């Protein structure tokens, strides 16, 4: 039987992460939740993610293009540099397939530079996904245009699971809310942290 995560779980988890109280629309640690039909709205989620900012993604979450270049990341990582080939279809294909979870974003997981990119980081964080590749398109205009051409999708961020284009922030948020992201991560051998969190909630 397919198991779905209750949408009521999500705001509670967010509040716990931020040190907030029990109410669904409380402010705490920078989070403010706007509920629409029992779910957090896109506007509310983005506002909350932007306010929470880099502190929630500090340290371990993801690896940016610049960090990979500076830290000598393992194979398949993004060598950032340069030449005009960084935006070619072949180059983008290598990046997309270099890791099970790949994000093209503005900024890095530790320092997102737009609310939509930050929201993607926070969604992955809530699911316990910390091992992923993140590429900062602001560092490479060729890559920025190349990934749009590759996916035929005009905006950033873009999320890829197992080499397949999933979508941007709005689609990832929808998958987060309806439980589809849990199932997609399971296909990659990644157990969502929300499963354990909901189990703990049921015990209370």
């Amino acid at each position: 039987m397919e198991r779905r995560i209750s949408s009521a779980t999500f705001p509670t988890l967010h509040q716990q992460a931020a040190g907030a109280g029990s109410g669904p629309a409380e402010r705490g640690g920078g989070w403010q939740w706007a509920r629409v039909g029992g779910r957090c709205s896109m506007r509310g989620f983005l506002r909350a993610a932007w306010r929470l900012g880099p502190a929630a993604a500090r340290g371990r979450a993801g690896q940016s293009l610049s960090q990979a270049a500076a830290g000598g990341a393992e194979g398949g990582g993004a060598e950032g540099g340069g030449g005009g080939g960084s935006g070619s279809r072949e180059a983008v294909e290598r990046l997309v397939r270099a890791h099970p979870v790949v994000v093209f974003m503005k900024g890095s997981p530790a320092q997102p530079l737009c609310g939509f990119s930050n929201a993607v980081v926070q969604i992955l964080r809530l699911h316990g996904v910390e091992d992923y590749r993140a590429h900062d398109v602001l560092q490479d205009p060729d890559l920025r245009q190349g990934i749009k051409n590759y996916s035929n999708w005009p905006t950033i961020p873009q999320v890829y699971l197992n080499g397949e284009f999933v979508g941007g922030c709005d689609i990832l948020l929808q998958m987060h809310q309806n439980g589809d992201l849990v199932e997609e991560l399971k296909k990659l051998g990644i157990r969502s942290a929300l499963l354990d969190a909901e189990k703990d909630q049921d015990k209370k």
Side-chain angles (χ1 to χ4, degrees), residues 10 21 55 81-82 98 108-110 121 123 126 134 154 161 165 167-168:
F10 303 130
S108 68
V121 170
I123 292 170
L126 287 167
L161 299 180
F165 177 53

Side-chain angles (χ1 to χ4, degrees), residues 69-195:
E74 56 270 322
E79 299 100 32
S86 62
S88 69
R89 186 170 186 84
E90 293 76 15
V92 171
E93 179 98 20
R94 285 195 296 271
L95 295 180
V96 163
R97 299 193 178 280
H99 197 274
V101 183
V102 180
V103 179
F104 295 85
M105 61 183 292
K106 295 179 181 179
S108 68
Q111 191 172 7
L113 296 179
C114 81
F116 296 102
S117 293
N118 194 23
V120 166
V121 170
Q122 303 309 329
I123 292 170
L124 293 175
R125 174 177 172 265
L126 287 167
H127 286 265
V129 181
E130 297 182 333
D131 179 18
Y132 62 95
R133 292 287 169 81
H135 301 286
D136 181 3
V137 300
L138 296 181
Q139 293 189 15
D140 190 338
D142 289 337
L143 177 59
R144 183 176 186 173
Q145 186 57 48
I147 192 62
K148 293 178 182 180
N149 295 341
Y150 180 84
S151 62
N152 197 27
W153 190 263
T155 59
I156 303 293
Q158 294 187 17
V159 179
Y160 290 78
L161 299 180
N162 202 28
E164 297 294 326
F165 177 53
V166 171
C169 172
D170 54 346
I171 294 176
L172 195 69
L173 177 58
Q174 184 179 15
M175 293 173 66
H176 164 68
Q177 291 172 330
N178 64 23
D180 286 347
L181 185 54
V182 172
E183 299 301 320
E184 291 303 315
L185 292 174
K186 184 178 179 182
K187 294 175 184 177
L188 303 179
I190 301 172
R191 178 178 173 81
S192 170
L194 293 185
L195 291 172

